[in-house]
Amino acid sequence: MRLQTVQDALKQKNIRFEYTEEDGCGSLDFMFRGLKFHVWEYHDGVWGAETNIYEAGRSEDIEGDYEEKIAGEILSWPDMINN
């Protein structure tokens, strides 16, 4: 199971998500406040993830401590009362 730190952040915020794994890379898809978000992990000489969590309409690549950065952003979002 990959992207465990991000999954933990989503669970803490009570955000439902779908997890898949292909070629050893994790993928998360979820909705928050009516918008679709994704975190798609990749390994292209370096580990990273493509995500649109910073701006729903634009994807960007995050490398290095990508899980901690993504989880930190998700944890900064308002709590969901009912999801």
Side-chain angles (χ1 to χ4, degrees):
M1 178 100 31
R2 307 275 313 162
L3 298 171
Q4 193 62 54
T5 303
V6 179
Q7 289 185 54
D8 291 345
L10 290 166
K11 289 175 186 173
Q12 184 175 333
K13 286 296 189 175
N14 196 30
I15 299 171
R16 287 187 232 146
F17 60 89
E18 293 182 26
Y19 174 81
T20 56
E21 190 170 317
E22 188 172 322
D23 297 328
C25 297
S27 175
L28 296 167
D29 295 287
F30 54 96
M31 293 204 45
F32 181 75
R33 292 191 166 185
L35 299 172
K36 292 182 181 183
F37 292 93
H38 68 268
V39 178
W40 300 331
E41 193 176 42
Y42 62 84
H43 186 265
D44 189 21
V46 63
W47 282 96
E50 176 186 308
T51 186
N52 65 337
I53 62 161
Y54 296 106
E55 192 174 333
R58 184 176 67 90
S59 293
E60 63 182 278
D61 292 344
I62 302 173
E63 296 177 347
D65 294 331
Y66 60 94
E67 278 204 71
E68 289 77 17
K69 293 174 186 174
I70 293 167
E73 176 65 18
I74 290 168
L75 291 172
S76 76
W77 292 354
D79 288 336
M80 293 298 291
I81 297 170
N82 294 317
N83 189 8

